[in-house]
Amino acid sequence: MSSYSPNLNNNNRPNKNFGELILLAYIMLNGVSTGGVIRTGRDIATNGADSNAIIALMLYLGCTIYTAQRAYEVYKKIHNNDDKNNQR
């Protein structure tokens, strides 16, 4: 009896599609948080800065930086063997 794991393909190698799904989720979260940074920054420019707007801007900016970093790490993990195979 074999066990089925959606993270592994038939050869017991990691499934790239699962990594691509995670990468897509990070990219989407990055887009939402970047939009929040732009919206909050525009609000600060038009209405002046108060403490709540500055805190919201910092939270959005932190989320943007974190999701961009994680998306880059996931991308490198998925495509690390592609560079080695293309050099031959």
Side-chain angles (χ1 to χ4, degrees):
M1 174 194 232
S2 66
S3 61
Y4 174 74
S5 174
N7 296 336
L8 300 175
N9 61 12
N10 292 338
N11 298 329
N12 289 332
R13 293 187 183 153
N15 191 351
K16 279 190 174 183
N17 293 334
F18 185 72
E20 295 285 340
L21 182 66
I22 298 296
L23 180 63
L24 177 66
Y26 277 123
I27 290 172
M28 289 173 56
L29 283 173
N30 190 296
V32 169
S33 62
T34 302
V37 167
I38 293 169
R39 184 179 60 244
T40 307
R42 187 181 64 213
D43 186 44
I44 288 173
T46 57
N47 298 332
D50 62 344
S51 63
N52 290 336
I54 297 295
I55 291 171
L57 180 66
M58 291 298 123
L59 288 172
Y60 276 128
L61 190 60
C63 184
T64 300
I65 293 168
Y66 177 75
T67 55
Q69 177 219 2
R70 288 294 298 155
Y72 181 68
E73 288 174 1
V74 170
Y75 179 82
K76 279 184 10 182
K77 184 178 178 182
I78 292 171
H79 297 288
N80 67 355
N81 289 332
D82 292 346
D83 293 335
K84 294 176 186 174
N85 291 337
N86 290 337
Q87 291 178 356
R88 292 181 189 178

